[in-house]
Amino acid sequence: MAVITKFVVVRDGVEKMTFASKKEADAYDRMLDVADNLIPFLQQGELELQEGSLEKLAFYLASNKDTLANLLKGGAPIKAAPAKRSKKSEAQQSE
């Protein structure tokens, strides 16, 4: 019998995500904290966003906080490395 350890992030009694490591779960939990803190900040602006759009925007900004911080400092956007495509998927696309 195999034993599997899982780390679950729960917010307001709702299971948000499951991770294999505590480090990943803690990082996701911190990102959710940032998103929760961004919502009141965004509500103070003159943007007229519906609640769902506001939450999506806060989540997006929180999940891209390093790039956002760099942009706010006047730096250039941090470019993500292009996704590597497997030879199998390339062969399927060429068919």
Side-chain angles (χ1 to χ4, degrees):
M1 175 171 82
V3 175
I4 299 173
T5 302
K6 293 182 181 181
F7 297 88
V8 181
V9 176
V10 177
R11 288 285 173 118
D12 300 322
V14 178
E15 185 176 315
K16 295 294 184 178
M17 190 80 76
T18 302
F19 296 91
S21 75
K22 184 177 183 338
K23 183 178 177 180
E24 291 173 322
D26 286 342
Y28 188 78
D29 189 48
R30 283 191 302 274
M31 192 266 309
L32 291 177
D33 286 339
V34 170
D36 287 344
N37 291 334
L38 280 171
I39 290 173
F41 174 75
L42 293 170
Q43 287 173 330
Q44 292 174 359
E46 295 180 14
L47 302 170
E48 295 180 17
L49 298 173
Q50 295 179 353
E51 187 173 339
S53 297
L54 186 64
E55 289 175 358
K56 286 180 183 179
L57 177 59
F59 186 83
Y60 176 77
L61 293 174
S63 62
N64 292 284
K65 67 179 180 146
D66 295 334
T67 300
L68 179 62
N70 193 43
L71 289 170
L72 291 172
K73 291 178 186 176
I78 299 171
K79 295 185 179 183
K84 293 184 178 182
R85 294 169 47 183
S86 68
K87 291 183 181 186
K88 184 176 182 179
S89 66
E90 289 175 4
Q92 287 175 345
Q93 286 184 349
S94 64
E95 291 177 355

